[in-house]
Amino acid sequence: NAGVTQTPKFRVLKTGQSMTLLCAQDMNHEYMYWYRQDPGMGLRLIHYSVGEGTTAKGEVPDGYNVSRLKKQNFLLGLESAAPSQTSVYFCASSLREKLFFGSGTQLSVL
Amino acid sequence: DQQVKQNSPSLSVQEGRISILNCDYTNSMFDYFLWYKKYPAEGPTFLISISSIKDKNEDGRFTVFLNKSAKHLSLHIVPSQPGDSAVYFCAARRAAGTASKLTFGTGTRLQVTL
């Protein structure tokens, strides 16, 4: 019973490097989301998708790109990482109001 | 602009007593409210929710109260158990579109002591 799976769990990058975070869900949900969690800030929405082939900006989209080529996968890309992108990243999926979250990716940008 | 506020960063309660976690919001367009629980190194997990057309929802030891006029909701846990120790996030959904884009509060860390 996997639910929402995120890879990798941890990553350290140098400023300017790029990387992709992968999110996979096995619940056949239409909607998928990427959030970041920072101390004292709660969770903030980066990008989301309402279905395969669609993406939209959330609250804090700058510096990130996303793709939803398959319904079950939602990728978050950082083209040129900055220290301000050090955070914990959570992927989620939903059928309606209730979001199901993955276990998170701890990203440090040095 | 923090539209969903949890003004208490932490709360300590004795086992068996009631825990009350509070949340305030500013956007009157929010139509659905949720509470999530988060353990360290895990993702948030859904706990309980309430629609804006209701003022109370109960699920076992957990009850959520909504006061629309005051733009305030609270989560009551009775009785509190050590396993309830976690960070609790309040979240709200704006009634627009089809995706459930939730706005989260900053969280309250609950510690239930023996």
Side-chain angles (χ1 to χ4, degrees):
Chain A
N1 189 15
V4 178
T5 303
Q6 291 182 233
T7 53
K9 292 190 182 302
F10 303 95
R11 186 72 187 267
V12 179
L13 291 178
K14 293 182 179 179
T15 298
Q17 286 185 318
S18 63
M19 77 161 295
T20 300
L21 306 183
L22 174 64
C23 177
Q25 54 100 0
D26 62 2
M27 296 174 282
N28 202 34
H29 287 166
E30 288 293 335
Y31 311 135
M32 295 188 74
Y33 315 81
W34 276 105
Y35 282 86
R36 60 178 287 174
Q37 184 193 5
D38 302 292
M41 302 289 288
L43 284 88
R44 292 180 293 168
L45 182 63
I46 304 171
H47 285 280
Y48 66 99
S49 168
V50 299
E52 182 179 319
T54 74
T55 63
K57 294 180 180 180
E59 182 186 354
V60 288
D62 294 341
Y64 305 94
N65 57 77
V66 288
S67 64
R68 184 107 180 261
L69 298 180
K70 293 183 179 181
K71 184 177 183 178
Q72 64 267 34
N73 295 338
F74 196 29
L75 279 62
L76 177 71
L78 287 73
E79 291 186 349
S80 179
S84 62
Q85 294 178 303
T86 293
S87 187
V88 181
Y89 292 85
F90 289 101
C91 176
S93 69
S94 74
L95 195 57
R96 291 195 294 193
E97 301 88 4
K98 187 166 67 175
L99 270 62
F100 295 83
F101 285 87
S103 58
T105 296
Q106 173 75 60
L107 175 66
S108 295
V109 183
L110 306 178
Chain B
D1 179 27
Q2 193 72 24
Q3 298 187 56
V4 178
K5 300 177 184 178
Q6 294 178 257
N7 292 318
S8 298
S10 63
L11 176 67
S12 183
V13 173
Q14 272 191 323
E15 181 181 11
R17 302 275 183 138
I18 183 171
S19 294
I20 300 176
L21 293 87
N22 294 304
C23 178
D24 296 295
Y25 62 95
T26 57
N27 192 335
S28 58
M29 296 297 291
F30 289 142
D31 72 334
Y32 202 84
F33 302 89
L34 306 89
W35 284 94
Y36 279 82
K37 177 179 180 179
K38 185 183 180 305
Y39 292 118
E42 294 184 11
T45 55
F46 170 77
L47 190 58
I48 192 169
S49 62
I50 188 167
S51 166
S52 60
I53 62 174
K54 297 185 176 181
D55 56 15
K56 178 183 175 181
N57 188 27
E58 191 172 355
D59 183 2
R61 297 186 297 114
F62 303 92
T63 303
V64 56
F65 295 92
L66 176 62
N67 182 334
K68 282 186 67 177
S69 61
K71 293 190 176 66
H72 177 83
L73 66 157
S74 60
L75 173 68
H76 292 211
I77 306 173
V78 183
S80 300
Q81 299 174 353
D84 297 329
S85 297
V87 177
Y88 290 78
F89 289 98
C90 171
R93 184 192 73 170
R94 183 175 174 175
T98 54
S100 192
K101 295 175 290 180
L102 300 181
T103 300
F104 283 83
T106 53
T108 296
R109 183 178 302 277
L110 173 66
Q111 183 172 8
V112 180
T113 60
L114 299 175

